[in-house]
Amino acid sequence: MQSDSPIVGAIEAGGTKFVCAVGSGPGELMRAREQFATGSDPHLLLAEVVGWFRAQESRFGPMAALGIASFGPVDLDERSASYGRITTTPKQGWRDTDVVGPLRRAFPGLPIGFDTDVNGAALGEGRWGAARGLDDFIYITVGTGIGGGGIARGRLLHGLVHPEMGHIPMPVLDGDRFEGACAIHGRCWEGLCAGPAIARRAGRPAEDLLPDDPVWDVTARYMAHALATLTYVLSPRRIILGGSVRKAGRLGQDAFLARTRAHLLQVLSGYIASPVLTPDGVAGFVVPPALGDDAGVCGAMALAHDALASRRGTA
Amino acid sequence: MQSDSPIVGAIEAGGTKFVCAVGSGPGELMRAREQFATGSDPHLLLAEVVGWFRAQESRFGPMAALGIASFGPVDLDERSASYGRITTTPKQGWRDTDVVGPLRRAFPGLPIGFDTDVNGAALGEGRWGAARGLDDFIYITVGTGIGGGGIARGRLLHGLVHPEMGHIPMPVLDGDRFEGACAIHGRCWEGLCAGPAIARRAGRPAEDLLPDDPVWDVTARYMAHALATLTYVLSPRRIILGGSVRKAGRLGQDAFLARTRAHLLQVLSGYIASPVLTPDGVAGFVVPPALGDDAGVCGAMALAHDALASRRGTA
């Protein structure tokens, strides 16, 4: 990305906070950044966000486009009447909330890109981070919940709605009697590996677990089964693992990822022949985000750049 | 597809038989069709196949392109030295077999499309069958084994290798002690729902089971868990279920699909809001192939048409 790329606006719309930025890319290309508590009044929050972007435009000049990477479920179908909305979320105040509409009205004519938070993060990592040059990869976030997005043959995964990878059914490890923590599915991936699941299994928050607590290993083993599923279904060239859980508190990210990778090779049992699915190669297959906690807001910037290119007919 | 479409050649390269055809499409657009036992001597078989296509060219004129939809694993990466090969198959005589090379040498300059059998079938169903007009869908075959291919945002899934959907890890249904029939993974999808798994669980071939045999229901329930996984990971607009198992012997295809769909809705528990994931809509979400047992060879024809369009720069 050249430093003379246009200045765009970016919103990472999360369930806890909205991270907003203006700039042309990550790091020093990001000119300004602010965050706002999501709260339960979308009308109020979006007005605040609009005000912040107007203030940035008076400092840096007009934005060339805006990108929004949002928590969901969202409607991504541009032919749909509810395009640009957060739809069936249980989050108080946010059900059936039009996110794109108020921004379109505030900035008439501005190209606006809109996608899920995890698809946004995938796009950001593909543009500037851990998936540069790859046409097929997945971005997973494992934190309070689990979500996944990705790119297949160079295009973001959409479809009927959009992927909801956190809710895949899971096997039972020998002797494991934990009933899972997902309110809807019990023992789905999110019900076994998200932060609240780890806390419920261990009886205390993940960050309080000692490095040798067996809960870390059982979590890594379930992670491996889920990553094997994604590998079999989508055949990604790389899986980027974001979110807070992979930082693994006192155990640490490196140790947690190393265990997850070793278990993944065991689950795959050599079935898929590839140099990256070997003890020497797998550290390049399951990786942390290169943009760190900025993957989401950078992804929103990438969505903005793509919306601009699409408007210009160069995408 | 117009009836004045060019005549192309098609090979559905299966582990048991190679189905070859020339024509421009399915049904009456297929001018000739022949099948050959796969055997254990690829050199001999491919010479026979070449001879058959030459004979058809003398009847119908030169083929404009050739499509090959092959059993795998295969190398689909055109930049790879082993592009066009069947790679690590356990099938006797076929490991590391170049399939595209001999055909390229026999028909110099002919555009040749090459993909997996299930990606081919997906493409065929998208062009002429049960997925016309859809950009995001999956084709599954459940027979001696389980394979899956698909299209996301209009493009066939490739990636690191290609999908191997039959080997996803599976949950355990309450009280089920069956250890699974997959030689590598035991209780993967293939190890629970393919023909040999059903036969091992029941103690006799699937076609001998009575309609009320409980093995049908447990198979449909596991199918539902696998289809839920695919729905969460890829968000397809439709899943096409091919292969012999869905015909379900004396139970019948309609009853087996109806049970699978009902269990699928139960597994999803309403998490994904869509009109097709409701009791009224789900019969349009999980469907049999419209091309029936011709999905594969028609898919190879579609691969040929696409290779021709790509050569002409119109794809």
Side-chain angles (χ1 to χ4, degrees):
Chain A
M1 187 54 52
Q2 311 302 315
S3 59
D4 59 357
S5 283
I7 297 274
V8 299
I11 303 173
E12 181 191 9
T16 307
K17 61 182 193 282
F18 273 43
V19 181
C20 300
V22 295
S24 56
E28 59 187 23
L29 301 179
M30 199 180 292
R31 304 291 191 90
R33 176 196 170 106
E34 188 57 88
Q35 60 189 58
F36 304 91
T38 305
S40 58
D41 185 340
H43 184 74
L44 201 68
L45 174 64
L46 290 172
E48 211 175 356
V49 163
V50 165
W52 185 80
F53 279 115
R54 288 203 201 288
Q56 307 318 307
E57 287 195 312
S58 69
R59 291 171 63 197
F60 303 111
M63 303 184 286
L66 180 65
I68 307 165
S70 178
F71 75 101
V74 291
D75 187 340
L76 302 178
D77 182 353
E78 296 191 44
R79 294 160 298 188
S80 158
S82 55
Y83 169 76
R85 284 176 181 264
I86 294 170
T87 58
T88 56
T89 179
K91 187 166 173 61
Q92 206 205 327
W94 284 87
R95 196 181 168 95
D96 293 319
T97 294
D98 187 0
V99 175
V100 172
L103 289 155
R104 187 159 277 162
R105 286 189 290 279
F107 301 98
L110 194 68
I112 297 181
F114 178 67
D115 217 303
T116 64
D117 44 8
V118 278
N119 265 349
L123 195 67
E125 290 288 334
R127 191 78 34 101
W128 297 296
R132 264 178 291 187
L134 299 184
D135 273 346
D136 300 271
F137 61 94
I138 296 173
Y139 180 94
I140 300 294
T141 179
V142 182
T144 313
I146 296 184
I151 291 196
R153 305 290 297 273
R155 297 184 185 181
L156 287 166
L157 292 172
H158 285 176
L160 181 66
V161 182
H162 48 70
E164 286 285 359
M165 300 186 192
H167 295 276
I168 54 175
M170 293 283 284
V172 180
L173 294 180
D174 276 350
D176 184 20
R177 297 179 189 283
F178 180 56
E179 73 285 2
C182 171
I184 300 168
H185 307 97
R187 301 183 79 273
C188 63
W189 185 12
E190 180 171 302
L192 291 170
C193 293
I198 296 173
R200 190 183 298 184
R201 182 190 283 274
R204 56 213 153 122
E207 54 270 29
D208 292 349
L209 298 183
L210 293 175
D212 61 353
D213 193 301
V215 168
W216 283 127
D217 197 60
V218 77
T219 303
R221 289 180 66 196
Y222 278 118
M223 284 293 297
H225 279 87
L227 300 186
T229 296
L230 302 186
T231 303
Y232 284 133
V233 175
L234 272 166
S235 199
R237 290 183 180 272
R238 192 164 293 157
I239 297 175
I240 302 168
L241 193 53
S244 57
V245 164
R246 109 275 177 177
K247 297 179 187 169
R250 301 191 199 179
L251 174 63
Q253 171 175 297
D254 291 352
F256 182 73
L257 289 182
R259 282 194 205 186
T260 300
R261 293 177 187 125
H263 289 309
L264 172 61
L265 293 182
Q266 210 164 20
V267 174
L268 294 173
S269 308
Y271 189 75
I272 297 177
S274 166
V276 301
L277 295 176
T278 61
D280 285 342
V282 70
F285 184 68
V286 178
V287 304
L291 300 171
D293 295 336
D294 275 355
V297 71
C298 290
M301 274 192 182
L303 287 169
H305 285 298
D306 284 2
L308 180 62
S310 168
R311 171 77 61 88
R312 288 174 172 167
T314 56
Chain B
M1 190 54 51
Q2 311 301 314
S3 58
D4 59 358
S5 284
I7 297 275
V8 298
I11 303 173
E12 181 191 8
T16 308
K17 60 182 194 282
F18 273 44
V19 181
C20 299
V22 295
S24 56
E28 58 188 24
L29 300 179
M30 199 181 292
R31 303 291 191 89
R33 177 196 170 105
E34 187 58 87
Q35 60 188 59
F36 304 90
T38 304
S40 59
D41 185 340
H43 186 74
L44 201 70
L45 174 65
L46 290 171
E48 212 175 356
V49 163
V50 165
W52 185 80
F53 279 115
R54 288 205 201 288
Q56 307 318 307
E57 287 195 313
S58 68
R59 291 170 65 194
F60 303 111
M63 302 183 288
L66 179 65
I68 307 166
S70 178
F71 74 100
V74 292
D75 188 340
L76 301 178
D77 182 352
E78 296 190 44
R79 294 160 297 187
S80 158
S82 56
Y83 170 76
R85 286 175 180 264
I86 293 170
T87 57
T88 56
T89 178
K91 187 167 173 59
Q92 207 207 327
W94 284 86
R95 198 182 167 93
D96 292 320
T97 293
D98 187 1
V99 175
V100 170
L103 290 155
R104 188 159 275 162
R105 286 189 290 279
F107 301 98
L110 194 69
I112 297 182
F114 179 68
D115 217 303
T116 65
D117 44 9
V118 278
N119 265 349
L123 195 66
E125 290 288 334
R127 191 77 34 100
W128 298 296
R132 264 178 291 186
L134 299 184
D135 273 346
D136 299 272
F137 61 95
I138 295 173
Y139 180 94
I140 301 294
T141 180
V142 183
T144 313
I146 297 184
I151 291 194
R153 304 290 297 272
R155 297 186 186 180
L156 288 165
L157 293 172
H158 286 178
L160 182 65
V161 182
H162 48 69
E164 287 283 0
M165 300 185 192
H167 295 275
I168 54 175
M170 294 283 286
V172 181
L173 295 180
D174 276 350
D176 184 18
R177 296 180 190 282
F178 180 55
E179 74 285 3
C182 172
I184 300 168
H185 308 95
R187 302 184 78 273
C188 65
W189 185 12
E190 181 171 301
L192 291 170
C193 293
I198 296 174
R200 189 183 297 184
R201 182 191 284 274
R204 59 211 151 125
E207 53 270 30
D208 293 349
L209 299 182
L210 293 175
D212 61 354
D213 194 300
V215 169
W216 283 127
D217 197 60
V218 78
T219 303
R221 288 180 66 197
Y222 278 117
M223 285 292 299
H225 279 86
L227 300 185
T229 296
L230 302 186
T231 303
Y232 284 132
V233 175
L234 272 166
S235 199
R237 290 184 180 272
R238 190 165 293 155
I239 297 176
I240 302 169
L241 192 54
S244 57
V245 164
R246 109 275 177 176
K247 296 177 185 170
R250 301 191 198 179
L251 174 63
Q253 171 176 298
D254 290 352
F256 181 73
L257 289 182
R259 281 193 207 184
T260 299
R261 292 177 187 126
H263 288 308
L264 172 61
L265 293 182
Q266 211 163 18
V267 174
L268 294 173
S269 307
Y271 189 75
I272 297 178
S274 166
V276 301
L277 295 175
T278 61
D280 286 342
V282 71
F285 184 68
V286 177
V287 304
L291 301 171
D293 296 335
D294 277 355
V297 70
C298 291
M301 276 193 181
L303 287 170
H305 285 299
D306 284 2
L308 179 62
S310 168
R311 173 76 61 89
R312 288 175 172 166
T314 57

